[in-house]
């Protein structure tokens, strides 16, 4: 219908979603600037960093280069190929999650075993698992489309698989990644036509499960307590959040100026990773934070619009994958922003596309390469070409 309307008006549909591409480049560039600004103090303080002030800038620039290259390669891969590879990619992800738990292979940092050392860089399997979960859940839902009302044929197998993934992630522990992957799987199953009663029951079970996980783990419980009143122990469990809130308070409407943050001067831990938004708030103020929120909101809406177009062309895997990517970026960015603003308990989740971290940047860029590929294929179909 849309293609016919464009022919009648004489307008041509572009080959690519240029606004999406430019928005991604804007977010990546903005992130590079803010990672540099937020990491200068820690780079100077660490005598092991060979580039002094520019250590994290150089590394993040390399990660961006790798990410953009990986995203371009992902764009060249047809959606049908991603669908065929989805189960195998998921099994590779599971194997990596097992490897990271083996002493001597997995690298432990601050009490968490989340990384695999690749000599030059560290690989975080949970970041790749988010991408693989999107692919697997989309492929699974398409394959089980005729059984979406069946508990044993559709719901139960996916539940068991997600419990396995969750068990491995909680062993690291990485509760934040578990929450994001759970949201991805649930949303794709729901959009794929999962029985409403089963979906409602799943939500109830998840809420109960998350409460049990929090109450059964002392460190998670302490994070909840610290989140509820960070000023009760500003030098202990409320330290990160109290300094993040100070950064937001100092920023006011327009910020103190790019590079002029005080909190990044070794007061706010993980300023270039988990708490990058707090530095943005301090240096660029409410306007800077609103820009970031608007950018991710637009990116999410665009992903769902692409998924809707794919569904109209009866490309069900592509539609669900696009929706899954949108949910992934939305949920992770909401959690990160909520943590920075004191609306959610502290979790080790970075701001997608912006925070320092190689695995996250590369996985995000691959996902967006896949999203652009889905959009390109739909546009080709709308023009009457085969893909």
């Amino acid at each position: 219908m849309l293609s016919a309307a464009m022919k009648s008006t004489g307008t041509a549909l572009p080959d690519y979603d240029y606004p999406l591409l430019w928005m991604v480049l804007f977010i990546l560039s903005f992130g590079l600037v803010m990672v540099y600004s937020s990491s200068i103090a820690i780079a100077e303080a660490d005598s092991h960093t060979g580039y002094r002030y520019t250590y994290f800038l150089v590394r993040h620039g390399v990660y961006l280069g790798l990410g953009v290259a990986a995203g371009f390669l992902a764009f060249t891969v047809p959606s049908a190929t991603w669908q065929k590879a989805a189960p195998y990619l998921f099994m590779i992800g599971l194997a990596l999650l097992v490897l990271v738990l083996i002493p001597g292979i997995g690298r432990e940092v601050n009490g968490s075993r989340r990384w695999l050392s690749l000599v030059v860089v560290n690989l975080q399997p949970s970041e790749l698992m988010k991408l693989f979960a999107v692919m697997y859940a989309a492929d699974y839902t398409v394959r089980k489309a005729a059984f979406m009302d069946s508990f044993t044929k559709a719901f139960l197998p996916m539940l068991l698989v997600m419990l396995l993934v969750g068990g491995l992630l909680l062993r690291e522990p990485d509760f934040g990644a578990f929450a994001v992957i759970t949201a991805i799987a649930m949303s794709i199953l729901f959009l794929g036509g999962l029985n409403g009663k089963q979906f409602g029951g799943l939500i109830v079970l998840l809420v109960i499960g998350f409460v049990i996980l929090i109450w059964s783990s002392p460190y998670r419980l302490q994070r909840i307590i610290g989140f509820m009143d960070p000023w009760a122990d500003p030098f202990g469990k409320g330290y990160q959040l109290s300094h993040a809130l100070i950064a937001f308070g100092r920023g006011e409407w327009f910020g103190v100026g790019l590079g002029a943050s005080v909190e990044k001067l070794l007061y706010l831990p993980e300023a270039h990773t988990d708490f990058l938004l707090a530095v943005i708030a301090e240096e660029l103020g409410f306007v800077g934070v609103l820009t970031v929120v608007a950018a991710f909101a637009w990116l999410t809406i665009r992903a769902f619009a692409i998924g809707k177009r794919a569904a109209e062309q009866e490309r069900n895997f592509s539609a669900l994958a696009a929706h899954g990517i949108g949910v992934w970026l939305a949920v992770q960015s909401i959690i990160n922003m909520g943590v920075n603003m004191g609306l959610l308990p502290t979790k080790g989740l970075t701001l997608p596309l912006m925070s320092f971290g190689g695995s996250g940047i590369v996985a995000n860029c691959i996902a967006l390469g896949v999203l652009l590929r889905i959009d390109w294929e739909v546009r080709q179909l709308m023009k009457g070409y085969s893909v």
Side-chain angles (χ1 to χ4, degrees), residues 91-160:
M91 287 189 286
I92 291 172
L94 284 175
L96 291 174
L97 290 180
V98 172
L99 279 177
V100 82
L101 297 175
I102 300 175
I105 297 179
R107 184 186 177 197
E108 185 173 339
V109 178
N110 297 328
S112 297
R113 193 182 296 274
R114 302 179 184 175
W115 297 268
L116 292 172
S117 179
L118 300 181
V119 183
V120 179
V121 296
N122 293 317
L123 173 68
Q124 190 170 355
S126 60
E127 292 294 339
L128 293 178
M129 196 61 189
K130 295 169 188 174
L131 174 64
F132 299 159
V134 170
M135 301 297 179
Y136 178 77
D139 173 59
Y140 178 88
T141 304
V142 171
R143 285 189 286 110
K144 299 288 185 177
F147 308 104
M148 276 294 131
D149 286 333
S150 172
F151 177 82
T152 56
K153 292 183 179 180
F155 176 76
L156 186 59
M158 178 59 82
L159 176 62
L160 294 176

Side-chain angles (χ1 to χ4, degrees), residues 254-299:
F254 300 102
V256 296
L258 183 63
S261 168
V262 171
E263 287 300 319
K264 71 182 181 186
L265 302 178
L266 306 183
Y267 293 106
L268 178 63
E270 309 298 338
H272 58 305
T273 55
D274 299 352
F275 284 88
L276 184 68
L277 187 69
V279 177
I280 293 174
E282 186 177 4
E283 295 190 347
L284 303 179
F286 175 78
V287 173
V289 173
L290 185 61
T291 300
V292 174
V293 172
F296 278 100
W298 189 91
L299 204 61

Side-chain angles (χ1 to χ4, degrees), residues 176-212:
F178 178 41
V180 172
I181 290 174
T182 299
I184 291 170
M186 284 181 58
S187 63
I188 289 178
L189 283 175
F190 176 74
L191 292 169
L194 182 68
N195 181 279
K197 292 181 179 179
Q198 294 178 18
F199 186 76
L202 176 60
I203 292 178
V204 173
L205 287 174
L206 285 173
V207 171
I208 295 173
F210 283 141
V211 171
I212 293 174

